[in-house]
Amino acid sequence: WEVAKPKATMFVWAQLPTMCWNLADPWDSRSISREMLSRCGVAVIPGDAFGAQGEGFIRIALVESRQRLVEAARRIGHFIRGE
């Protein structure tokens, strides 16, 4: 899942990844955010929390230590792959 590096902020706006597994309903920013927290313990903000134009994205805050961010990225990778 490739996301653009932020240029001048502590937030990453990431377009929803292609998931390797499916829910009963299509993925949206809220369902991915909810499932990510539930399944891998990583909290992100659904893009639609910032308005309709945010749908299709999640916002990730880069406010933890490098070690914790690397661990979060590892967990998110497992989540996306359905592991």
Side-chain angles (χ1 to χ4, degrees):
W1 180 25
E2 293 188 31
V3 297
K5 181 178 177 182
K7 295 182 181 169
T9 182
M10 65 182 128
F11 301 106
V12 170
W13 280 92
Q15 193 165 17
L16 298 183
T18 301
M19 301 296 289
C20 295
W21 59 286
N22 294 312
L23 292 175
D25 296 316
W27 289 105
D28 61 20
S29 64
R30 288 209 177 255
S31 61
I32 281 185
S33 297
R34 185 175 35 255
E35 290 294 317
M36 197 176 294
L37 180 59
S38 173
R39 293 177 186 263
C40 67
V42 176
V44 299
I45 304 298
D48 72 347
F50 300 93
Q53 293 176 331
E55 180 52 58
F57 293 84
I58 58 170
R59 189 178 83 163
I60 304 167
L62 304 176
V63 296
E64 289 290 341
S65 69
R66 180 178 178 83
Q67 180 181 358
R68 286 189 60 124
L69 292 172
V70 168
E71 175 62 20
R74 186 188 68 74
R75 291 181 187 186
I76 290 170
H78 287 292
F79 168 73
I80 290 169
R81 292 187 298 272
E83 298 173 354

